[in-house]
Amino acid sequence: MTRIAIDAMGGDYAPKAVVEGAVWAAMEYNIPIELVGKLYDIERELDRIDQEGLVVGGGIFPARKIKVNTKALDIKKTHASEVIEMGEAPGQAIRKKKNSSIVLAVKSVVEGSSDAVVAAGSTGAAMGASLFGLGRLPGIERPAIATVLPTMKGPLVLIDSGANTDCTPEMLYQFGLMGSAYAKSVLGIDNPRVAVLNIGEEAGKGDELARDTYKKFDENKDKINFIGNAEGKEIFLGNCDVIVCDGFVGNVTLKTIEGVARMFFYMVKQEFYRDPISKVIGVLVKPILKKMYAKVNYEEFGGALLLGVKGITVICHGRSSAYAIKNAVKVAYNAIEAGVNQSIASYYGEKE
Amino acid sequence: MTRIAIDAMGGDYAPKAVVEGAVWAAMEYNIPIELVGKLYDIERELDRIDQEGLVVGGGIFPARKIKVNTKALDIKKTHASEVIEMGEAPGQAIRKKKNSSIVLAVKSVVEGSSDAVVAAGSTGAAMGASLFGLGRLPGIERPAIATVLPTMKGPLVLIDSGANTDCTPEMLYQFGLMGSAYAKSVLGIDNPRVAVLNIGEEAGKGDELARDTYKKFDENKDKINFIGNAEGKEIFLGNCDVIVCDGFVGNVTLKTIEGVARMFFYMVKQEFYRDPISKVIGVLVKPILKKMYAKVNYEEFGGALLLGVKGITVICHGRSSAYAIKNAVKVAYNAIEAGVNQSIASYYGEKE
């Protein structure tokens, strides 16, 4: 049976939010969980939930408290004596801290106790632990982070969202293949349209990397459904299914989107508190805006998949709430069910 | 007296929108204009406006038609027999098409007939023509495009928004100095806080360029108010006044912001057309949303300044409406009045 290992110590609100999210996922989806972290902390949080109940709700759903008996849920607890902190150099940290929660969570997958890892701590550490623990899929030079974004038409895969800052055209091409496999297997998109993020649509646009990447994709049009360059403003039109870029640009793009969305809702709030009439309208508008916010809120998507490793690792936002963690568990579960890695492998096989 | 030269043939809706915007600016701000382009086209548009009137309005203002006598306005017309098209290689085009509207508009500034150029056509051609025609300011390796963005607190200068795709730490540092001079002279921000766009806040974050750029800024902290790295999500918090990045990242960021804003208003529209009750609320909300849209709409900002050349060039969005062109003329006028280039020069002098 599928089990998801969760780094209970990772994230700004860990272990509280992580343990709550894990319990919530175990209840809502009936997915077996393995919580990896300091046993004392994990048990304290579980006891608290048993005594105080669990606050569920998030996104468009109002928060409410429910009674939970965590002992009746399939939650395995694994002690990890160490924690990798956000500031630590990832490579060094995963080599030194062999008993850290993230390293042991990955180890659980390697040993077959669990089937996927969910991690909200240091992205670098989660990537490093996954890469060294699980190894790379055949034909993949470097793993990349795939984030699903909403567009005007449907979901879109942005790859790489931050794993690799210095890339080659070959790497970006591989991201394109992995993104296609993801869009196909998990999102159910047939023959996904792949575009390269650039500052103009023409082949000659952009920096050296962008121009060479265009060539690389263009030469392999029989293996991938390459539709050309796409500009930042086109991301949301829904005219492509996979957007490929290096991890620096991808990360800046992703965080810019987050920033714009936040400013937008800040502005809405301000406008609706300006005067009594606006306030009345604001009350009417609130549920509609909440529904919209849910559509663009990262919590709703839970986490991003690290593609290219021999296993499933879901990387969550550092500020992940219990709701985000719960949804990240679902992302991991869906990726396992959809067989995203088999899809990457077959994508390579089929198309080559 | 200050005169603004406008490339009448540049932009998706040229010459119509450009001539309308020029007439509008001449009326509203009482700024003398020089329209550079095919004389026949310019005169046809001016005649049309005289006969049919001019539609003004845009942003939060409702559109209305007003009578105009363009002959009573200070609008100089200069014939240009050639036009540089969007697809042309800029460097080659400006050398070959010496009688193109953009080259002659810049020439007008070089010869002292006008004081600034407003251009909505090919960004590369506007940059190239300005660089070769006007030359660089002392100490500046490469001109960069500075865009003003709204944040939760006040305006922010994003530099470079697309002029230079391959940059060095030295270039980015110069962008920081120019951005500071802009924020100080035009936006009136004292001792502007400068941040480098990166994927994390720590000094060691990002790609090689980002790490070396951090060092370069850090070593020159006595000359520039460097506050460290900033992530994409921080752009809108208003905690810094100038954000520095290379033109590739800047352009993707800018267009992503445009894309998110557009999707947002698309979503709002969809939500408010879902059912009769939502439609009623939608009518009430419309003016508030319009006000918000105006705050993030690129038309409101009109255009971006090309900094680092010996003159003022304002680069407009290709899709510029008459309203955007009118506002771009104001941007050019403000830059002249504020003495942004003197500020860059003195910034160099003062701080070195």
Side-chain angles (χ1 to χ4, degrees):
Chain A
M1 198 174 180
T2 305
R3 184 179 297 275
I4 315 285
I6 306 178
D7 174 2
M9 313 309 286
D12 298 354
Y13 309 125
K16 185 174 181 290
V18 180
V19 173
E20 285 174 357
V23 169
W24 192 349
M27 279 176 57
E28 187 163 327
Y29 307 126
N30 205 21
I31 299 176
I33 299 288
E34 178 179 6
L35 281 169
V36 185
K38 297 196 173 170
L39 213 51
Y40 172 82
D41 285 339
I42 293 171
E43 284 176 343
R44 187 194 60 215
E45 292 301 329
L46 289 172
D47 285 347
R48 194 182 47 74
I49 293 168
D50 282 332
Q51 280 163 28
E52 295 177 7
L54 180 70
V55 176
V56 294
I60 56 166
F61 306 105
R64 65 198 166 87
K65 203 172 237 184
I66 56 166
K67 280 204 168 186
V68 182
N69 176 13
T70 61
K71 287 167 193 71
L73 299 168
D74 188 351
I75 299 180
K76 202 173 140 180
K77 288 157 275 181
T78 301
H79 181 62
S81 58
E82 294 169 302
V83 174
I84 296 180
E85 305 293 343
M86 291 303 285
E88 293 185 70
Q92 211 179 327
I94 57 167
R95 273 188 299 271
K96 267 176 62 184
K97 295 185 170 175
K98 290 206 164 43
N99 290 313
S100 60
S101 50
I102 183 64
V103 169
L104 292 184
V106 171
K107 202 176 165 198
S108 171
V109 175
V110 175
E111 291 172 348
S113 306
S114 287
D115 304 277
V117 177
V118 167
S122 155
T123 299
M127 275 171 42
S130 301
L131 183 56
F132 292 115
L134 302 165
R136 286 169 299 173
L137 287 174
I140 303 297
E141 235 172 285
R142 294 269 277 272
I145 299 173
T147 307
V148 178
L149 291 174
T151 76
M152 291 186 192
K153 288 180 192 158
L156 168 91
V157 177
L158 178 80
I159 184 168
D160 174 19
S161 314
N164 310 282
T165 49
D166 294 288
C167 291
T168 63
E170 171 62 32
M171 281 164 68
L172 290 172
Y173 172 64
Q174 292 177 6
F175 298 169
L177 285 181
M178 292 196 289
S180 296
Y182 185 19
K184 202 173 167 184
S185 62
V186 180
L187 305 178
I189 299 166
D190 206 43
N191 199 24
R193 297 158 300 176
V194 181
V196 173
L197 191 57
N198 201 337
I199 61 171
E201 285 180 17
E202 300 89 348
K205 283 276 181 173
D207 54 10
E208 213 186 310
L209 175 64
R211 290 191 298 270
D212 291 346
T213 302
Y214 187 98
K215 268 184 228 153
K216 176 77 193 174
F217 274 86
D218 205 46
E219 286 162 10
N220 288 281
K221 264 189 163 168
D222 52 326
K223 293 172 199 144
I224 195 163
N225 186 7
F226 177 54
I227 60 163
N229 290 328
E231 295 184 66
K233 63 187 172 187
E234 290 160 62
I235 296 176
F236 304 98
L237 296 180
N239 296 334
C240 58
D241 307 303
V242 178
I243 290 243
V244 176
C245 57
D246 73 59
F248 189 91
V249 171
N251 195 272
V252 168
T253 300
L254 206 63
K255 285 178 180 162
T256 299
I257 295 168
E258 195 186 324
V260 178
R262 240 194 287 166
M263 183 173 76
F264 212 98
F265 286 100
Y266 169 85
M267 281 168 68
V268 167
K269 239 182 169 171
Q270 274 208 322
E271 291 299 336
F272 285 119
Y273 275 86
R274 199 171 289 279
D275 52 64
I277 296 171
S278 301
K279 270 188 198 171
V280 172
I281 301 173
V283 172
L284 296 168
V285 169
K286 215 175 173 187
I288 298 175
L289 289 172
K290 261 198 164 173
K291 223 172 358 177
M292 276 183 58
Y293 187 63
K295 282 193 194 163
V296 294
N297 185 7
Y298 70 88
E299 289 189 340
E300 212 60 38
F301 299 94
L305 263 190
L306 180 69
L307 294 181
V309 291
K310 273 192 236 157
I312 304 286
T313 297
V314 173
I315 293 175
C316 305
H317 201 294
R319 277 202 316 276
S320 284
S321 63
Y323 185 65
I325 297 289
K326 182 206 73 160
N327 288 335
V329 171
K330 194 70 203 287
V331 169
Y333 186 79
N334 289 344
I336 299 166
E337 291 291 298
V340 65
N341 287 338
Q342 292 86 321
S343 174
I344 292 175
S346 76
Y347 217 87
Y348 263 76
E350 262 172 43
K351 305 262 171 174
E352 271 177 344
Chain B
M1 198 175 181
T2 305
R3 184 180 296 275
I4 315 285
I6 306 179
D7 174 3
M9 312 309 286
D12 299 354
Y13 309 126
K16 187 175 180 290
V18 180
V19 173
E20 286 174 357
V23 168
W24 191 350
M27 280 175 55
E28 187 163 327
Y29 308 127
N30 206 20
I31 298 174
I33 300 288
E34 178 180 7
L35 281 169
V36 186
K38 296 195 173 173
L39 213 51
Y40 173 83
D41 285 340
I42 293 171
E43 284 176 344
R44 188 196 58 218
E45 291 301 329
L46 290 172
D47 285 346
R48 196 182 47 74
I49 293 168
D50 282 332
Q51 279 162 31
E52 295 176 7
L54 180 71
V55 177
V56 294
I60 56 166
F61 306 106
R64 65 198 167 88
K65 203 172 236 182
I66 56 167
K67 280 203 168 187
V68 181
N69 177 13
T70 61
K71 287 168 191 73
L73 298 169
D74 188 351
I75 299 180
K76 201 172 141 183
K77 288 157 277 181
T78 301
H79 181 60
S81 57
E82 294 169 301
V83 174
I84 296 180
E85 305 294 342
M86 291 302 285
E88 292 185 70
Q92 213 179 327
I94 57 167
R95 271 189 300 271
K96 267 176 64 183
K97 294 185 170 174
K98 290 208 164 43
N99 290 312
S100 59
S101 51
I102 183 65
V103 169
L104 292 184
V106 171
K107 204 178 163 195
S108 170
V109 176
V110 176
E111 292 172 349
S113 305
S114 286
D115 304 278
V117 177
V118 168
S122 154
T123 300
M127 274 171 43
S130 301
L131 184 56
F132 292 115
L134 302 165
R136 286 169 299 173
L137 288 174
I140 303 297
E141 235 173 284
R142 295 269 278 273
I145 298 174
T147 306
V148 178
L149 291 174
T151 75
M152 292 187 193
K153 288 180 193 158
L156 167 92
V157 178
L158 177 80
I159 184 169
D160 173 23
S161 315
N164 310 282
T165 49
D166 294 286
C167 292
T168 63
E170 172 63 32
M171 279 165 68
L172 290 172
Y173 171 65
Q174 291 177 5
F175 299 169
L177 285 180
M178 293 196 288
S180 297
Y182 186 18
K184 200 173 168 183
S185 62
V186 179
L187 305 178
I189 299 167
D190 207 45
N191 199 23
R193 297 158 299 175
V194 181
V196 173
L197 191 58
N198 202 338
I199 60 171
E201 286 180 16
E202 301 87 349
K205 281 276 181 176
D207 54 11
E208 213 186 308
L209 175 64
R211 291 191 298 270
D212 291 345
T213 301
Y214 188 98
K215 267 184 229 154
K216 176 77 192 173
F217 273 87
D218 205 46
E219 284 162 12
N220 288 280
K221 264 189 163 169
D222 52 325
K223 292 170 201 147
I224 195 163
N225 186 9
F226 177 55
I227 60 163
N229 291 329
E231 294 184 68
K233 63 187 173 190
E234 289 161 62
I235 296 177
F236 304 98
L237 296 180
N239 296 335
C240 58
D241 306 304
V242 179
I243 290 244
V244 176
C245 57
D246 71 60
F248 190 92
V249 171
N251 195 273
V252 168
T253 300
L254 206 62
K255 286 179 180 161
T256 299
I257 295 168
E258 196 187 322
V260 178
R262 241 194 285 166
M263 183 172 79
F264 207 96
F265 286 100
Y266 169 85
M267 282 169 67
V268 167
K269 239 182 168 171
Q270 274 209 320
E271 291 298 338
F272 286 120
Y273 275 85
R274 200 172 289 279
D275 53 62
I277 296 170
S278 300
K279 271 190 198 170
V280 172
I281 301 173
V283 172
L284 296 168
V285 169
K286 216 176 170 184
I288 298 175
L289 290 172
K290 262 199 162 172
K291 223 173 359 180
M292 274 183 62
Y293 187 64
K295 281 192 194 163
V296 294
N297 184 7
Y298 70 88
E299 290 188 338
E300 213 60 38
F301 299 95
L305 263 191
L306 180 68
L307 294 180
V309 291
K310 272 192 234 155
I312 303 287
T313 296
V314 174
I315 292 174
C316 305
H317 201 294
R319 276 201 317 276
S320 284
S321 64
Y323 185 66
I325 296 289
K326 183 206 75 165
N327 288 335
V329 171
K330 193 70 203 286
V331 169
Y333 187 80
N334 288 345
I336 299 165
E337 290 291 298
V340 64
N341 287 338
Q342 293 85 323
S343 175
I344 292 175
S346 75
Y347 217 87
Y348 263 76
E350 263 174 42
K351 305 262 172 170
E352 269 177 344

